[in-house]
Amino acid sequence: MTRSATETDLGRTRRARRIGRVLTETHPDAHCELDHGSPLELAVATILSAQCTDKKVNEVTPKLFARYPTAADYAGADRGEVEEMIKPTGFYRNKTNSLIQLGQALVERYAGRVPNRLADLVTLPGIGRKTANVILGNAFDVPGITVDTHFQRLVRRWGLTTETDPVKIEHEIGAMFPKRDWTMLSHRIIFHGRRVCHARKPACGACTLAKLCPSYGTGPTEPAAAAKLLKGPRVRALAAAAGVDPELVPAQAVQAEAP
Ligand code: SF4
């Protein structure tokens, strides 16, 4: 999606904020979908979530967190045992390396605690800028924008940016919203990407953003066809919010989990 040549920067920011307000109403359940009870647990879960669904990560982590409650436990963990426990999340050898090295780095440099500054977090094994922002926003209440694949796709479809570099996108979108909104905005955009505005076939005809989105029509606009594409536990409410008869949502979709 290219930007509109006629839209001013101010107009674009106003539209972005309207999109943000509609998303607040559309996804009142938006939250970090990785189960965690501490910054360390969230750091571990985000490392495991690379190339894996949050649902699968949440299946693996209760046993892992119980077995390795501290950074020192990961630092001294038996590699084979960790690999076996996290195997279902894929890329388990690399992820095991990251977890053990993360534990070692935390013990050596941060007295076993996860630091709460972006500059420190990104120096840790397995933690890039995206992961660091997830940890800041959700474990420390420090506002952070999480530019994952859904976020990138949606802000480009909305014509809010033409950037492809995640750091540039983070800065450009961040400038359009108050800092205090960054974390929840990220969750809501990611929820919309998982439940409505899919990569292949977005549910344009059942989307609350239809009037604000220059990419309306990328997916089916006919309500019955679009309603079938909605995903997640709130499919009927999502259809109703977009003005679509919730009865058009097939029964099996009501049960389906968002990817
Ligand atoms: S109108 Fe279509 S392309 Fe635009 S946000 Fe909604 S689902 Fe995505």
Side-chain angles (χ1 to χ4, degrees), residues 104-245:
Q104 290 167 347
L106 289 175
V107 168
E108 283 162 20
R109 293 196 268 132
Y110 297 101
R113 315 251 304 240
V114 177
N116 63 356
R117 289 186 342 147
L118 185 71
D120 293 325
L121 283 167
V122 293
T123 69
L124 293 167
I127 301 201
R129 196 177 171 95
K130 183 183 84 178
T131 306
N133 273 322
V134 171
I135 296 168
L136 284 179
N138 299 286
F140 292 114
D141 273 340
V142 177
I145 288 196
T146 309
V147 182
D148 75 347
T149 169
H150 299 291
F151 193 109
Q152 288 190 46
R153 179 177 75 254
L154 270 62
V155 293
R156 284 170 58 82
R157 277 183 176 165
W158 297 335
L160 299 183
T161 182
T162 52
E163 298 290 353
T164 49
D165 174 56
V167 178
K168 288 189 179 149
I169 293 176
E170 183 187 320
H171 289 138
E172 195 168 12
I173 303 301
M176 296 177 179
F177 291 89
K179 212 171 172 185
R180 64 174 182 276
D181 294 343
W182 286 358
T183 304
M184 283 311 296
L185 175 75
S186 303
H187 290 318
R188 289 171 190 137
I189 292 178
I190 293 167
F191 260 54
H192 205 69
R194 286 181 167 160
R195 287 157 167 71
V196 184
C197 188
H198 314 297
R200 290 230 184 105
K201 259 196 177 181
C204 293
C207 175
T208 50
L209 296 175
K211 289 201 178 93
L212 294 166
C213 177
S215 297
Y216 174 76
T218 302
T221 55
E222 201 269 313
K228 284 192 197 135
L229 298 171
L230 295 171
K231 295 224 161 61
R234 293 182 65 254
V235 273
R236 290 228 154 104
L238 289 175
V244 171
D245 180 357

Side-chain angles (χ1 to χ4, degrees), residues 18-113:
R18 277 203 289 274
I19 287 173
R21 285 196 292 275
V22 172
L23 288 178
T24 304
E25 286 167 18
T26 308
H27 302 288
D29 55 334
H31 63 281
C32 176
E33 295 195 275
L34 292 168
D35 295 340
H36 65 279
S38 69
L40 177 66
E41 289 186 357
L42 183 54
V44 169
T46 45
I47 286 173
L48 296 182
S49 72
Q51 310 288 319
C52 179
T53 63
D54 291 352
K55 187 169 174 262
K56 183 62 78 185
V57 173
N58 291 339
E59 285 168 16
V60 163
T61 46
K63 267 173 86 177
L64 190 72
F65 294 162
R67 180 83 176 96
Y68 306 106
T70 69
D73 293 319
Y74 287 101
D78 177 83
R79 180 174 300 276
E81 189 183 279
V82 178
E83 284 182 0
E84 199 52 42
M85 288 178 94
I86 68 167
K87 209 169 197 170
T89 70
F91 301 98
Y92 60 94
R93 292 213 171 88
N94 282 344
K95 289 179 183 176
T96 296
N97 280 342
S98 293
L99 294 183
I100 293 174
Q101 287 169 10
L102 172 69
Q104 290 167 347
L106 289 175
V107 168
E108 283 162 20
R109 293 196 268 132
Y110 297 101
R113 315 251 304 240

